[in-house]
Amino acid sequence: MTETKKLHVVLFPWLAFGHLIPFFELAKQIARKGHKVSYISTSRNIDRLPKLSQKLNYSIHFVNLSLPLTKGLPENAEATKDVPLDKVQYLKKAFDGLESELTQILVDSVPDWIIYDFTPYWLPPIAGKLGISCAFFSTFNAWSSVFFGPAKDIIDGNVQRTKPEDFTVPPKWIPFPSNIAFRLYEINRFFGHGQENISGVSDWHRFRASVSDCDVFLVRSCNELEREWLDLLPQLHQKPVVPVGLLPPSVQDTEGNKRDAWGFINNWLAMQREKSVVYVALGTEATPSQEELTELAHGLELSGLPFFWALRKQHDFLLLKLPEGFEERTKNRGIVWTSWAPQLRILEHDSVGVFLTHCGWGSIIEGLKFGKPLVMLPFLGDQALNARGLEEKMVGLEISRNEKDGSLTRNSVAESLKLVMNDEKGKIYWEKANEMRKIFGNRDLSDIYIDDFIEYLHKNKSLCID
């Protein structure tokens, strides 16, 4: 890079931790290269981000916004993890209320770039008037972005996918063989998100406007993983597309501020055989039903395998219970951990063999960073598409569900776990996951993508036209 001028980059993510964290990882990488970063979100969300190590001198300025009080939104709810699915529409309405405060911040600071999410459809015109270049950042991979199609066509109706069944086959603009598609029960769960809601603006319209009016489309991916999908994106959106790499988080990046918890977990893992433990984590957004939770628990029990289950603390709106006597019956070989769990440290441990995951893109990156084969149990949105793509690459096995209603059985859970962990047929998943480690865990490769991305920001910061 010949350009040495320091940039000022603003990042403005949607209020979901599957978005807040990737934006945070991107912020760290931009700051690590010596540029000024303003990370803008609500106060409570900023407080819940991983704490940066004192050893790292990142130039990140956190800007706290006050989420407007909104009828229908519970008190102190500032992220999707704080509300049930049907209340997310109220969170979007409150989010739109941040427009005025954010505009004033941009007027006062006039950054070189603003990097934003799918939600603030109103932001690109504001940036244009202020002469600020704007980048849409997809926290999903390219195959998920490609599957949903051209942003312009989504809103103009040029793509005739109007009913759930239309999403159960690969779309016509994918020119090569692929199994990337939803099952009918999955798209039925997801389909209502495209409709207008209490905010008055559908997710489809938000996405369309955010992408159509950006200067560049950024994607959390790399050519080594999905070049053919990345090549399709510029054709679909008629925008420059820049992959920023996989942004694999580093264990060393965060302060071990809950060392007592890790000390106990580490001691337990150290007593297990190498590569023998199933690590179970379903993320912050995926919420199983009571029936799914019950079958998952019984499946773990039936498998006979050691397990560490990071079962997030449940909210008042959904109080799920483990089967009676489950923890007592499995206490000699498994742990159910209901408080904060250091996922990166757990996945890094030699005793962990298989990762049972909901297939959020961030969790997949963390698992494959350490070469862990996946047992996949998707719930929402792109998680299903990720499961299809990763099964195609043979790095994991999806737990089978009933094709009609998506119901889960304990036998399918147990059989999937035992096949990947111990069966001769499961060796291919270990081999392929270990190969993926060379991509997902490659810090040098990640640095190359960040350098190329920063160079792009330097060269194109005047793209924005009023």
Side-chain angles (χ1 to χ4, degrees):
M1 286 174 51
T2 56
E3 178 65 68
T4 58
K5 181 182 180 298
K6 301 305 180 187
L7 296 168
H8 179 199
V9 182
V10 168
L11 292 99
F12 185 51
W14 163 233
L15 308 176
F17 276 84
H19 297 245
L20 290 156
I21 296 298
F23 270 75
F24 184 50
E25 291 298 331
L26 185 59
K28 288 193 292 186
Q29 295 306 318
I30 298 170
R32 192 166 64 89
K33 297 297 181 178
H35 302 283
K36 180 182 177 182
V37 174
S38 296
Y39 185 101
I40 301 180
S41 190
T42 66
S43 303
R44 189 170 180 225
N45 288 330
I46 287 174
D47 287 344
R48 291 187 288 188
L49 289 171
K51 304 306 177 192
L52 289 172
S53 169
Q54 294 299 314
K55 297 177 183 177
L56 301 174
N57 187 24
Y58 288 124
S59 301
I60 301 177
H61 175 53
F62 293 101
V63 181
N64 294 276
L65 301 182
S66 300
L67 196 67
L69 293 174
T70 303
K71 185 178 179 181
L73 189 65
E75 188 178 357
N76 294 323
E78 295 189 8
T80 54
K81 67 182 290 185
D82 301 326
V83 295
L85 195 58
D86 63 340
K87 295 287 186 182
V88 172
Q89 57 182 322
Y90 296 96
L91 194 62
K92 287 177 181 146
K93 183 177 181 180
F95 182 86
D96 289 339
L98 298 174
E99 178 180 350
S100 176
E101 193 175 359
L102 177 67
T103 300
Q104 189 59 52
I105 290 169
L106 296 178
V107 168
D108 293 341
S109 59
V110 193
D112 297 296
W113 282 88
I114 182 162
I115 300 174
Y116 62 95
D117 218 321
F118 81 97
T119 331
Y121 66 97
W122 35 263
L123 177 55
I126 295 169
K129 289 178 181 178
L130 296 174
I132 301 167
S133 296
C134 54
F136 172 80
F137 178 32
S138 171
T139 58
F140 307 125
N141 52 39
W143 68 59
S144 296
S145 297
V146 166
F147 180 84
F148 286 110
K152 186 175 186 300
D153 286 352
I154 284 173
I155 202 71
D156 292 347
N158 297 331
V159 178
Q160 296 302 313
R161 292 198 294 178
T162 58
K163 37 184 210 304
E165 288 79 5
D166 296 334
F167 293 82
T168 61
V169 293
K172 62 185 179 182
W173 52 81
I174 298 177
F176 44 79
S178 174
N179 66 353
I180 302 290
F182 286 100
R183 297 193 173 100
L184 187 57
Y185 67 84
E186 292 168 335
I187 194 62
N188 279 334
R189 292 177 178 180
F190 183 66
F191 208 64
H193 292 207
Q195 309 307 312
E196 289 196 5
N197 50 47
I198 195 68
S199 73
V201 183
S202 71
D203 284 357
W204 294 127
H205 180 81
R206 290 177 186 275
F207 174 74
R208 180 262 178 186
S210 295
V211 172
S212 296
D213 296 337
C214 73
D215 296 310
V216 60
F217 187 112
L218 309 178
V219 58
R220 189 184 188 185
S221 189
C222 64
N223 290 314
E224 290 73 13
L225 176 68
E226 49 171 357
R227 181 183 295 274
E228 69 276 24
W229 296 95
L230 284 164
D231 287 346
L232 287 177
L233 278 176
Q235 303 169 36
L236 286 176
H237 295 304
Q238 298 298 302
K239 295 285 180 182
V241 172
V242 176
V244 298
L246 294 165
L247 303 174
S250 170
V251 174
Q252 289 74 34
D253 267 6
T254 53
E255 201 65 79
N257 58 339
K258 298 183 180 179
R259 291 174 185 162
D260 290 344
W262 170 237
F264 177 88
I265 295 168
N266 186 40
N267 288 339
W268 184 85
L269 289 171
M271 292 188 290
Q272 313 306 314
R273 288 186 298 106
E274 185 177 356
K275 297 179 180 178
S276 68
V277 176
V278 177
Y279 174 57
V280 185
L282 303 180
T284 58
E285 309 295 329
T287 303
S289 66
Q290 180 61 66
E291 291 75 16
E292 288 169 328
L293 186 79
T294 298
E295 292 304 307
L296 177 55
H298 282 306
L300 283 168
E301 186 175 355
L302 278 174
S303 75
L305 297 169
F307 65 87
F308 185 96
W309 188 353
L311 183 62
R312 69 180 179 90
K313 184 179 179 182
Q314 288 139 13
H315 299 284
D316 293 339
F317 58 78
L318 187 63
L319 297 175
L320 302 181
K321 294 181 180 180
L322 290 167
E324 187 173 352
F326 169 78
E327 290 183 84
E328 179 63 25
R329 293 192 301 273
T330 60
K331 65 180 181 181
N332 292 326
R333 62 177 175 87
I335 287 182
V336 177
W337 193 264
T338 57
S339 58
W340 173 85
Q343 179 158 294
L344 274 178
R345 292 186 182 277
I346 294 169
L347 286 167
E348 185 184 34
H349 202 282
D350 290 339
S351 293
V352 173
V354 169
F355 182 17
L356 196 164
T357 173
H358 65 303
C359 293
W361 191 226
S363 287
I364 287 166
I365 290 169
E366 292 182 7
L368 292 178
K369 171 185 169 74
F370 299 110
K372 306 298 182 182
L374 309 174
V375 171
M376 300 179 288
L377 187 62
F379 289 88
L380 296 170
D382 70 305
Q383 297 164 11
L385 303 180
N386 290 337
R388 307 297 114 79
L390 293 165
E391 195 160 49
E392 203 171 67
K393 293 180 180 295
M394 298 294 289
V395 298
L397 176 68
E398 187 174 351
I399 298 172
S400 61
R401 292 176 181 257
N402 182 291
E403 289 289 338
K404 292 183 179 180
D405 61 12
S407 58
L408 183 69
T409 70
R410 61 195 68 182
N411 287 333
S412 65
V413 173
E415 289 164 7
S416 299
L417 287 170
K418 288 190 289 186
L419 188 152
V420 176
M421 183 67 87
N422 293 326
D423 197 287
E424 188 70 21
K425 294 178 182 177
K427 286 186 177 179
I428 185 65
Y429 302 114
W430 291 80
E431 292 168 5
K432 294 293 185 181
N434 193 50
E435 288 175 16
M436 282 291 176
R437 186 174 190 167
K438 298 170 187 175
I439 298 173
F440 284 78
N442 189 331
R443 181 60 67 181
D444 291 337
L445 180 64
S446 182
D447 276 348
I448 290 170
Y449 277 96
I450 293 298
D451 285 340
D452 289 347
F453 161 61
I454 296 291
E455 187 167 5
Y456 183 92
L457 295 186
H458 271 299
K459 289 181 177 179
N460 296 281
K461 63 181 180 179
S462 299
L463 276 177
C464 195
I465 300 173
D466 190 354

